[in-house]
């Protein structure tokens, strides 16, 4: 569905269950920026439920050589979600509520020495593709994520 992600050579994935420590299973880099896709595994089915990004807008912060927090790992583990609770705390609760067995998280570095694709732009593009196919955003995203 997202062929544009194939060009990114720095990428990875991990599985997360509600009883795991997100800090321990997350293998995304702390010092690089990009996007991540979260798939729910439930009753033998797989569903894309969230498209996220790291790196505050990046416009100038990274280009100017400054270090900013909110790398992929930081955002995945400490980023805010749902009722503005850190993902390491909100994801296991939401998984139990929705009876999700595991999450499969795929991450892609889109902004580094080789690529200069701003994560905010890539996330928006992926959400638009998803919406054009399904007529809505993934269920853990908000319609405001499209802007």
């Amino acid at each position: 569905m997202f062929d544009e992600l194939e060009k990114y050579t720095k990428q990875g994935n991990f599985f997360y269950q509600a009883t795991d420590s997100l800090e321990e299973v997350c293998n995304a880099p702390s010092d690089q920026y990009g996007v991540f896709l979260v798939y729910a595994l439930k009753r033998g089915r797989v569903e894309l439920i969230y498209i996220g990004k790291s790196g505050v807008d990046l416009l100038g912060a990274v280009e100017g050589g400054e270090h900013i927090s909110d790398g992929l790992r930081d955002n995945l583990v400490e980023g805010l979600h749902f009722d503005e609770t850190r993902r390491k705390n909100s994801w296991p609760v939401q998984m139990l509520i929705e009876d999700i067995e595991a999450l499969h998280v795929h991450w892609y570095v889109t902004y580094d020495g080789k690529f200069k694709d701003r994560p905010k732009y890539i996330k928006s593009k992926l959400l638009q593709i998803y919406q054009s196919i399904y007529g809505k955003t993934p269920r853990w995203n908000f319609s405001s994520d499209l802007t």
Side-chain angles (χ1 to χ4, degrees), residues 58-123:
L58 290 181
L59 188 60
V62 172
E63 292 169 5
E66 300 172 33
H67 173 73
I68 59 172
S69 60
D70 195 32
L72 274 163
R73 178 183 173 79
D74 303 325
N75 192 288
L76 275 162
V77 175
E78 300 291 340
L80 302 179
H81 207 149
F82 301 114
D83 61 351
E84 298 299 310
T85 303
R86 297 194 187 285
R87 286 191 179 94
K88 66 181 179 183
N89 298 321
S90 64
W91 279 7
V93 171
Q94 194 64 31
M95 290 170 68
L96 292 172
I97 290 169
E98 296 184 30
D99 197 27
I100 295 172
E101 298 158 24
L103 299 178
H104 192 189
V105 179
H106 294 257
W107 54 265
Y108 303 84
V109 174
T110 65
Y111 197 102
D112 61 7
K114 185 174 182 180
F115 297 102
K116 299 293 183 209
D117 298 333
R118 292 172 50 206
K120 182 177 180 179
Y121 170 77
I122 300 300
K123 175 186 174 181

Side-chain angles (χ1 to χ4, degrees), residues 10-21:
K10 291 183 185 176
Q11 58 179 280
N13 68 86
F14 62 90
F15 285 93
Y16 173 70
Q17 294 179 316
T19 56
D20 292 337
S21 164

Side-chain angles (χ1 to χ4, degrees), residues 39-47 95 97-102 139:
Y39 295 87
L41 291 87
K42 181 177 176 177
R43 296 187 193 116
R45 297 186 51 83
V46 177
E47 175 190 0
M95 290 170 68
I97 290 169
E98 296 184 30
D99 197 27
I100 295 172
E101 298 158 24
R139 61 187 161 110

